[in-house]
Amino acid sequence: MATIRDVATRSGVSTATVSYVLNNGPRTVRPRTQARVLAAMRELNYHPSAMARGLNHKRVNSIGVVTLHSVQSPLENPYYRPVLSGIVDAATRLRQSVNLFNGNVWESESSDFPVFCDGRCDGLLIFLPYVGNTLIPALKNQTAPFVIIGEGGTDPTVSSIDIDNVAVAREIVGHLIGFGHRRIAHFQGADYLLSSADRRLGYTEALAAAGIPFDPALVLTGDYETPSGYDLARTLFETAGEKPTAIFAANDRMAVGAIKALRELGLDVPRDVSVAGIDCSSHPDIPGTRLTSGDQHLMQLGETAVTMVMELINSAEPRIIKTLQPYDIVPGDTVGPPLIRA
Amino acid sequence: MATIRDVATRSGVSTATVSYVLNNGPRTVRPRTQARVLAAMRELNYHPSAMARGLNHKRVNSIGVVTLHSVQSPLENPYYRPVLSGIVDAATRLRQSVNLFNGNVWESESSDFPVFCDGRCDGLLIFLPYVGNTLIPALKNQTAPFVIIGEGGTDPTVSSIDIDNVAVAREIVGHLIGFGHRRIAHFQGADYLLSSADRRLGYTEALAAAGIPFDPALVLTGDYETPSGYDLARTLFETAGEKPTAIFAANDRMAVGAIKALRELGLDVPRDVSVAGIDCSSHPDIPGTRLTSGDQHLMQLGETAVTMVMELINSAEPRIIKTLQPYDIVPGDTVGPPLIRA
DNA sequence: TTGAAAGCGCTAACAT
DNA sequence: ATGTTAGCGCTTTCAA
């Protein structure tokens, strides 16, 4: 590869001049000289080294995206994918490249050596850090700014973007109550994610607001994955006890799993049981059925996350930005009035 | 950020020693000294700079992925996504980060300044370079090795991975012929992609092998996108002339578009018209229907592409690797025997 | 077993 | 308007 020296020699100027031509400033170069330099660059097929430049002005125009969870393949996950799409789109528009890291691999390797903050990214987007992870504390001790996606929680010392999990859960349970349901089960997410507790809180708040007594037997813990929703539904409907007329699953995948289980048990959704989730993600397992859900506008969320981290990067002093993404309750085919028992 | 100097000062050794501790060699360091250095690194929360290291040994452990086409969002594209998944998975396993570039943006900006080969990636994976693009020629003049995904074509001077487009098309058309079809339309892809011509060639070869005369009126040109398949099907079936009993679409998206159109026209698939595609990608537009298609094993293709580029990166002298990915014809619900006219 | 110092390719203050 | 040169943070040869 040709270096700036080669170009300088070839065009008979100093490296400084070449550099100024390269960057269109900050110094002005005589047009004739400039032309000579440009010609030399072309002839030598010269491309400035990102490494050398980065070493100087500490800026590489790349943002890192870390998926901390051991998600098999982030791109196949209905939550990650739209967010990532939004990130890639926004970053591209802003001329930033996107650096993907599968965090759990890097973390397990040597937890105190996060390659993604070794200068190859100007800033980081961290997906769903689970409760008790070691990355976030480590990240606080270094200079690359970062934004947490989906699990900012109550920590006021980190920048984050999320929906208001309590509110969206409250509203969607309210939606079920509005249809006349009083016996509503909740399939909550894994407890190592803060959102699980938040959505559960929204659920209890909605019940309380409607004067419906809370029944702990109706709250079952899953893990945000489809099979867990399936298993919980089977457990709930195959064992003895009074059945719920509706299920609020903490996300769409669990809701879809539940619907599959219910159908296998000969129950109709929503005639026999209503089901609602959160995410408005795609769910190929129940073709033709539109799940009642809370739309997090995940792509938009990814785009906003990029603008946030860019702001942090461009900001002189360290800052904390907290964003709550607006959401919408989207009625689908899976919620109806409760069945009146004979 | 602490530098290697800070660590050296703090532990009372030279920067050289710190470097050797950092890399576990090539020189051996006395255990006591090493311990002191490690302690200092920990205390200072030291992380070596990727830029500075890269500047020396020209290796950053990152592979670049360039999507040249103006795909809205690569992650939402049923061809790109599984390949990308495979890439991310394989790269992660090999401890490489993945750098995503939306090539058409970078290219349009200043076609002679490809940031993705400025040293921030050790090697590149290039998606579907269209015929006549300026990137590939430019890439040949620089040192970063690259592998072309999906459009290696006949150029023997570039490394590439693809399926045998002629063969897969020939086989799938053979599959249709096997059902008794003799009047088979072909919706071909955009002509700026080599695969379009290849698949079309496979189509004509299959016809020839079966002694079926080629009818140019049955070959229509789309662009690999769903709407084009829809439009072509409407055109074909709404205008006068003898209708085909089957359609071979050059990819699944066009096939799906065609099926939608046929259904709107009151035609049943496969009773009235059989339809086959290529890709085995997901297609939410025809829920419940399994499209007869040729499986390219796209995730696998992405994984193999990564191992290929890693081989090129690790190879001392420049090499060219050509890989043909195995494929399978996957029978679905959309192909049946032709309707016998009264 | 360790230190000193010369680069890697570029930028930008300091000269002229 | 342009050249000189001292770094950026690290690796590695050459010395000790």
Side-chain angles (χ1 to χ4, degrees):
Chain A
M1 282 295 257
T3 76
I4 200 172
R5 265 215 122 66
D6 301 326
V7 177
T9 313
R10 178 160 186 115
S11 45
V13 298
S14 71
T15 62
T17 301
V18 176
S19 175
Y20 293 125
V21 169
L22 207 53
N23 303 302
N24 268 319
R27 176 149 114 187
T28 162
V29 176
R30 183 157 53 110
R32 276 194 41 158
T33 316
Q34 189 175 53
R36 272 219 317 285
V37 172
L38 288 170
M41 297 203 307
R42 193 140 307 183
E43 287 159 21
L44 294 172
N45 190 34
Y46 166 74
H47 294 295
S49 148
M51 296 300 118
R53 305 188 103 172
L55 194 50
N56 282 297
H57 43 323
K58 278 103 172 24
R59 188 68 175 271
V60 289
N61 297 316
S62 181
I63 70 175
V65 176
V66 182
T67 57
L68 237 195
H69 260 145
S70 60
V71 181
Q72 338 73 326
S73 197
L75 303 193
E76 300 301 328
N77 180 297
Y79 177 86
Y80 285 70
R81 175 152 48 84
V83 181
L84 276 169
S85 280
I87 291 172
V88 170
D89 289 354
T92 299
R93 271 199 301 278
L94 297 170
R95 298 282 184 281
Q96 308 295 309
S97 75
V98 173
N99 229 298
L100 287 183
F101 301 92
N102 200 323
N104 57 315
V105 172
W106 301 104
E107 194 183 32
S108 64
E109 165 93 338
S110 51
S111 57
D112 42 15
F113 190 79
V115 286
F116 27 87
C117 54
D118 64 358
R120 75 181 60 198
C121 299
D122 302 322
L124 298 171
L125 264 23
I126 316 290
F127 264 97
L128 302 180
Y130 49 86
V131 174
N133 77 85
T134 60
L135 178 64
I136 302 301
L139 247 32
K140 289 182 183 174
N141 290 324
Q142 51 87 55
T143 45
F146 62 95
V147 172
I148 289 179
I149 296 180
E151 288 282 309
T154 50
D155 186 341
T157 69
V158 297
S159 292
S160 65
I161 180 170
D162 202 351
I163 49 167
D164 183 337
N165 283 294
V166 181
V168 70
R170 200 194 305 121
E171 274 199 46
I172 207 146
V173 174
H175 180 75
L176 291 168
I177 293 172
F179 270 84
H181 294 277
R182 313 245 331 144
R183 203 161 164 73
I184 303 169
H186 175 43
F187 292 0
Q188 75 166 38
D191 19 62
Y192 51 79
L193 288 177
L194 293 167
S195 59
S196 303
D198 285 347
R199 291 177 187 182
R200 182 194 156 129
L201 177 58
Y203 162 77
T204 57
E205 283 186 4
L207 295 185
I212 300 174
F214 172 74
D215 179 354
L218 289 179
V219 176
L220 306 180
T221 301
D223 63 2
Y224 278 135
E225 301 294 332
T226 310
S228 78
Y230 178 90
D231 293 342
L232 292 180
R234 282 207 89 106
T235 309
L236 189 58
F237 280 83
E238 282 179 342
T239 54
E242 197 190 345
K243 301 298 172 253
T245 63
I247 297 172
F248 161 50
N251 77 345
D252 281 6
R253 268 170 295 156
M254 290 200 292
V256 167
I259 290 172
K260 275 176 65 181
L262 292 171
R263 287 179 174 169
E264 284 184 21
L265 292 170
L267 294 168
D268 184 76
V269 176
R271 198 176 51 83
D272 300 312
V273 186
S274 289
V275 179
I278 292 180
D279 270 357
C280 281
S281 53
S282 49
H283 19 70
D285 289 344
I286 50 166
T289 306
R290 292 176 310 118
L291 184 64
T292 294
S293 186
D295 192 346
Q296 298 201 49
H297 304 292
L298 293 173
M299 261 190 80
Q300 173 66 47
L301 196 146
E303 297 185 18
T304 307
V306 170
T307 65
M308 286 171 67
V309 78
M310 290 302 290
E311 256 184 74
L312 296 179
I313 292 169
N314 293 325
S315 157
E317 64 263 32
R319 291 201 297 140
I320 304 292
I321 311 180
K322 291 273 185 191
T323 302
L324 276 186
Q325 173 80 9
Y327 61 85
D328 293 302
I329 303 300
V330 181
D333 312 325
T334 58
V335 171
L339 201 58
I340 310 295
R341 313 272 173 83
Chain B
M1 281 298 255
T3 76
I4 200 172
R5 262 215 126 65
D6 301 326
V7 177
T9 312
R10 178 157 185 118
S11 45
V13 298
S14 70
T15 61
T17 302
V18 176
S19 175
Y20 294 124
V21 170
L22 207 53
N23 302 302
N24 268 319
R27 175 149 114 188
T28 163
V29 176
R30 184 157 53 110
R32 277 195 39 159
T33 317
Q34 190 175 52
R36 272 217 318 283
V37 171
L38 288 172
M41 298 202 307
R42 193 139 309 183
E43 286 159 21
L44 294 171
N45 190 32
Y46 168 73
H47 294 294
S49 146
M51 295 300 118
R53 305 188 103 171
L55 193 51
N56 282 297
H57 46 324
K58 279 102 175 23
R59 188 70 175 272
V60 289
N61 295 317
S62 181
I63 70 176
V65 175
V66 182
T67 57
L68 236 194
H69 258 143
S70 61
V71 181
Q72 338 74 326
S73 197
L75 303 193
E76 300 302 327
N77 180 296
Y79 177 86
Y80 285 71
R81 174 149 51 85
V83 181
L84 277 170
S85 280
I87 291 172
V88 170
D89 289 354
T92 299
R93 271 199 300 280
L94 298 170
R95 298 281 183 285
Q96 306 300 115
S97 74
V98 173
N99 229 298
L100 287 182
F101 301 93
N102 200 323
N104 59 313
V105 171
W106 301 102
E107 193 183 35
S108 65
E109 165 91 338
S110 50
S111 58
D112 43 13
F113 190 78
V115 287
F116 27 88
C117 53
D118 65 357
R120 77 180 60 198
C121 300
D122 301 322
L124 298 171
L125 265 22
I126 315 290
F127 265 96
L128 301 180
Y130 50 84
V131 174
N133 77 85
T134 60
L135 178 64
I136 302 301
L139 247 31
K140 289 182 183 173
N141 291 325
Q142 52 87 54
T143 46
F146 61 96
V147 172
I148 290 180
I149 296 179
E151 287 282 311
T154 50
D155 186 341
T157 68
V158 296
S159 292
S160 65
I161 180 170
D162 201 352
I163 49 168
D164 183 337
N165 282 295
V166 181
V168 70
R170 201 192 306 120
E171 274 199 46
I172 206 145
V173 174
H175 180 75
L176 291 168
I177 293 173
F179 270 84
H181 293 277
R182 312 240 338 141
R183 201 159 167 73
I184 302 170
H186 175 43
F187 292 0
Q188 75 166 37
D191 19 60
Y192 51 81
L193 288 179
L194 292 168
S195 59
S196 303
D198 286 346
R199 291 177 186 182
R200 180 191 157 134
L201 178 58
Y203 162 78
T204 56
E205 283 186 6
L207 294 185
I212 301 173
F214 172 75
D215 179 354
L218 288 179
V219 176
L220 306 181
T221 300
D223 63 2
Y224 278 134
E225 301 294 333
T226 309
S228 78
Y230 178 92
D231 293 343
L232 293 180
R234 283 208 89 107
T235 310
L236 189 57
F237 280 83
E238 281 179 344
T239 55
E242 196 187 348
K243 302 297 172 252
T245 63
I247 296 171
F248 161 50
N251 76 346
D252 282 6
R253 269 170 295 158
M254 289 200 292
V256 166
I259 290 173
K260 275 176 65 179
L262 292 171
R263 286 178 175 169
E264 284 184 21
L265 292 170
L267 296 166
D268 184 77
V269 176
R271 199 176 50 84
D272 300 312
V273 186
S274 289
V275 178
I278 292 181
D279 269 357
C280 281
S281 54
S282 50
H283 18 72
D285 288 343
I286 50 167
T289 305
R290 291 175 311 117
L291 184 63
T292 294
S293 186
D295 192 346
Q296 298 201 48
H297 304 292
L298 294 173
M299 263 190 78
Q300 173 66 47
L301 195 145
E303 298 186 18
T304 307
V306 169
T307 65
M308 287 171 66
V309 78
M310 290 302 291
E311 256 186 75
L312 296 179
I313 292 169
N314 293 324
S315 157
E317 64 264 33
R319 292 201 295 139
I320 303 292
I321 312 180
K322 291 272 184 192
T323 302
L324 276 186
Q325 173 80 8
Y327 61 85
D328 294 302
I329 303 299
V330 181
D333 313 324
T334 58
V335 171
L339 200 59
I340 310 295
R341 314 272 175 82

